[in-house]
Amino acid sequence: MSDDLLDAAVAMTGGQRLWDTLAGLRIDISIGGPIWALKGWPTGATFDQIITVDTVRQRILFSPFTRPDREMVFDATTDTVKMQTLDGNTFESLSPARASFKGMLRNSAWDALHLGYFLGYACWNYFTTPFLFTYPGVHAREIEPWREAGQTWRRLAVRFPPSIATHSPDQVFYFDSQGLQRRMDYVADVNGSALVGHYTSRHKSFDGLLVATRRRVFRRNPDNNVNLNLPSITLDIHDAELIRADNERTQP
């Protein structure tokens, strides 16, 4: 099939020309949901932080992270998660990070480093999509459409190379008639290979970049349908700032 769906999604999100001017994004986010209690964190815990996304290489900074005096850095190039003080001094690290999940089950507890790995690669993927699909080694092709909630959504099947840390190598992304992403399906390999349906909504423009400010993550059934009664993970974006490649920052 042609690349027109990918082209439409990129154009709707802000366009390749805008994306190419960026070095990063700074996102004010709250992450919650019942899954964190299952992973050993206090019931009802919500992680409120500023994340700084490097849009050129797969690197992301969370500040503060799990405690007011800590930051977390995830770097896919070195497969490393670091915990550091607010002034950048590393005091704990995990490397190789991905391999450390081997043998863990869906109900296995995660310490701060494992939590950092999961949230780090996941958020980097979320905030670079759909531009990520144009990165070296990523292959996207349109597949048959999907009917949901009285709408027809076009779909991209995306295969990621081993060089990109992500939920699973093969994922499916759903777009409405405007080219807005509405859903994504994947297998959470590091969390017991759970089937996931992840919904995006409340898109808002930040200096020309369209960002889904509400994300809800659900368990997906083998027939591809999703029970939308209770999300396992919630992500709410309060603000976003574009970091230009020339180090100039623009506030929405």
Side-chain angles (χ1 to χ4, degrees):
M1 291 187 180
S2 67
D3 295 331
D4 68 311
L5 177 53
L6 177 54
D7 292 342
V10 166
M12 188 66 192
T13 311
Q16 193 66 49
R17 181 175 296 182
L18 171 63
W19 190 254
D20 289 344
T21 69
L22 302 183
L25 303 169
R26 187 169 288 104
I27 309 290
D28 184 350
I29 190 171
S30 296
I31 302 173
I35 191 175
W36 310 122
L38 182 66
K39 308 308 290 184
W41 295 87
T43 300
T46 300
F47 304 105
D48 299 314
Q49 56 230 313
I50 303 296
I51 62 175
T52 304
V53 181
D54 185 327
T55 56
V56 178
R57 60 193 180 104
Q58 194 174 9
R59 187 179 186 276
I60 193 167
L61 167 71
F62 283 63
S63 183
F65 189 72
T66 68
R67 281 178 32 174
D69 59 344
R70 292 182 175 180
E71 294 181 334
M72 183 276 293
V73 178
F74 163 70
D75 192 328
T77 304
T78 57
D79 191 22
T80 300
V81 180
K82 296 180 179 180
M83 298 295 293
Q84 60 187 37
T85 60
L86 296 182
D87 56 3
N89 291 318
T90 300
F91 61 86
E92 191 176 12
S93 65
L94 178 66
S95 183
R98 187 82 174 201
S100 69
F101 287 86
K102 186 176 181 179
M104 286 191 174
L105 305 175
R106 200 168 297 167
N107 61 351
S108 296
W110 286 347
D111 60 19
L113 290 166
H114 287 94
L115 176 67
Y117 180 83
F118 178 79
L119 291 179
Y121 82 71
C123 286
W124 187 88
N125 279 260
Y126 301 157
F127 291 112
T128 58
T129 296
F131 305 99
L132 173 59
F133 305 159
T134 68
Y135 285 23
V138 182
H139 298 284
R141 61 182 180 89
E142 188 171 358
I143 60 175
E144 68 278 2
W146 173 262
R147 290 281 298 173
E148 184 166 336
Q151 301 179 42
T152 299
W153 291 342
R154 296 171 69 184
R155 300 192 296 170
L156 283 176
V158 180
R159 169 156 286 193
F160 295 94
S163 57
I164 294 178
T166 188
H167 291 299
S168 54
D170 294 292
Q171 301 177 33
V172 177
F173 295 78
Y174 299 63
F175 300 87
D176 66 17
S177 59
Q178 295 179 287
L180 287 176
Q181 183 187 328
R182 293 298 185 181
R183 172 178 163 178
M184 57 188 292
D185 294 347
Y186 50 83
V187 178
D189 287 343
V190 301
N191 190 32
S193 297
L195 300 179
V196 174
H198 178 142
Y199 286 76
T200 51
S201 61
R202 299 182 186 175
H203 294 78
K204 182 180 177 182
S205 177
F206 296 91
D207 199 27
L209 183 71
L210 207 61
V211 176
T213 62
R214 187 177 193 268
R215 291 176 171 269
R216 295 295 182 267
V217 179
F218 302 88
R219 290 288 300 277
R220 175 167 51 92
N221 299 321
D223 64 3
N224 213 42
N225 289 299
V226 178
N227 185 335
L228 301 177
N229 289 334
L230 180 65
S232 57
I233 299 175
T234 64
L235 300 96
D236 293 287
I237 290 81
H238 311 297
D239 202 0
E241 178 186 353
L242 278 57
I243 304 173
R244 301 290 184 175
D246 60 2
N247 295 321
E248 292 182 4
R249 298 176 181 175
T250 58
Q251 190 72 33

